[in-house]
Amino acid sequence: MDLGLHNRVILVTGGAKGIGEAICRLLAAESAVPVIIGRNAVDNEAAVATIKAAGGRAWCIEAELTRTEECQKAIEAALAKLGRIDGLVNNAGINDGVNLEQGDSERFIASLRRNLIHYYEMAHLALPELKKSRGAIVNIGSKVAETGQGGTSAYAAANGGRNALTREWAVELAKYGIRANAVIVAECWTPMYERWLSAQSDPAAARATIESRIPLGKRMTAGEEIASTVAFLLSERSSHTTGQLIHVDGGYVHLDRAMQ
């Protein structure tokens, strides 16, 4: 499907690997220009090279998003190079295991910087350009805000914040024609997930147990499935959709566990 994203400049934080990379690849396939923003220049450039080798366009910016000045630098660099911003995908973050029992306030606040505050800062800094383009914002979130997980208080709080900001921005920005939505991820196969599984005593058994709990297909979500929904939400095909938390998770969060 042609989503009408030709030449649209879309900022994607954490766009070099995993879900972010899948989003960038699909946006490029739709003739958009994804701008990968992340701390690792080598990873960023490798992702851009892959997209270009497939015939797409992309650009990248090295930035440490836990620092406000680096978020500002990323916005300024994108504008200097490409002249416009048509969309923002807030995706960067990590489940860092800052819990209640062994955690502390300093680590909790640092986790919010890694996983939530830059969502606000990137949207705030990109907003003047999004107003001009009547662009869209898509926040990537996690099931842990709704289901809990245990041992990850800070990440759960950050994702609850992502959900709340999505709905708040949808209200605040409607007058500008800017839509804000979130895609909520549950068990999605990524390199990071693969590394976590490989550290388990029996990776195959652990994966089988996880997949047995996913109602649709008894399999993990693919990054490309997340990316397809993100691209739709960035496009005018979803022109009257805003403030939504869309779960691309094979029914993991909401369907009856009796289906297992």
Side-chain angles (χ1 to χ4, degrees):
M1 179 183 292
D2 180 0
L3 293 173
L5 293 172
H6 184 69
N7 287 335
R8 300 285 183 90
V9 176
I10 312 294
L11 310 186
V12 183
T13 67
K17 291 197 172 181
I19 291 169
E21 183 184 16
I23 291 167
C24 289
R25 283 193 278 105
L26 190 124
L27 289 175
E30 288 288 334
S31 299
V33 184
V35 179
I36 296 167
I37 302 172
R39 66 166 63 97
N40 190 309
V42 173
D43 289 345
N44 294 346
E45 290 162 6
V48 168
T50 298
I51 289 169
K52 289 183 175 179
R57 292 172 296 164
W59 195 56
C60 62
I61 302 167
E62 180 184 356
E64 175 48 68
L65 295 170
T66 60
R67 299 174 188 159
T68 302
E69 64 273 18
E70 294 275 299
C71 294
Q72 179 73 59
K73 180 190 79 173
I75 298 296
E76 292 173 354
L79 285 174
K81 176 70 175 180
L82 299 166
R84 58 184 293 137
I85 297 172
D86 299 292
L88 168 66
V89 181
N90 278 317
N91 165 74
I94 184 170
N95 190 337
D96 48 17
V98 179
N99 67 5
L100 183 61
E101 286 187 279
Q102 288 82 36
D104 56 60
S105 296
E106 185 175 345
R107 291 172 61 211
F108 184 87
I109 292 168
S111 181
L112 294 184
R113 278 219 158 267
R114 284 190 290 271
N115 290 300
L116 177 63
I117 293 172
H118 63 81
Y119 274 52
Y120 174 86
E121 292 187 325
M122 290 298 292
H124 173 69
L125 294 166
L127 186 56
E129 297 304 315
L130 292 173
K131 287 179 182 178
K132 294 176 188 177
S133 63
R134 293 171 65 91
I137 299 170
V138 179
N139 294 322
I140 304 300
S142 167
K143 67 179 174 64
V144 300
E146 298 168 83
T147 65
Q149 186 177 62
T152 185
S153 291
Y155 189 64
N159 278 281
R162 294 174 186 179
N163 292 356
L165 287 178
T166 298
R167 290 202 159 127
E168 171 63 16
W169 295 347
V171 174
E172 183 175 347
L173 302 180
K175 62 181 175 286
Y176 303 115
I178 297 172
R179 296 175 297 104
N181 293 286
V183 175
I184 310 303
V185 181
E187 306 296 343
C188 181
W189 188 250
T190 64
M192 189 177 296
Y193 205 128
E194 186 175 14
R195 285 195 298 274
W196 175 82
L197 266 182
S198 68
Q200 306 307 302
S201 58
D202 187 341
R207 179 170 180 171
T209 297
I210 293 164
E211 291 185 326
S212 73
R213 299 170 181 157
I214 301 170
L216 185 61
K218 306 297 182 187
R219 65 170 178 84
M220 291 192 189
T221 307
E224 291 75 14
E225 291 170 315
I226 305 295
S228 293
T229 302
V230 171
F232 171 71
L233 292 171
L234 289 167
S235 80
E236 289 303 311
R237 297 278 184 171
S238 61
S239 56
H240 211 226
T241 301
T242 195
Q244 301 305 304
L245 312 179
I246 299 176
H247 294 71
V248 182
D249 65 356
Y252 184 96
V253 171
H254 291 104
L255 297 189
D256 194 328
R257 287 293 172 257
M259 294 180 66
Q260 294 178 16

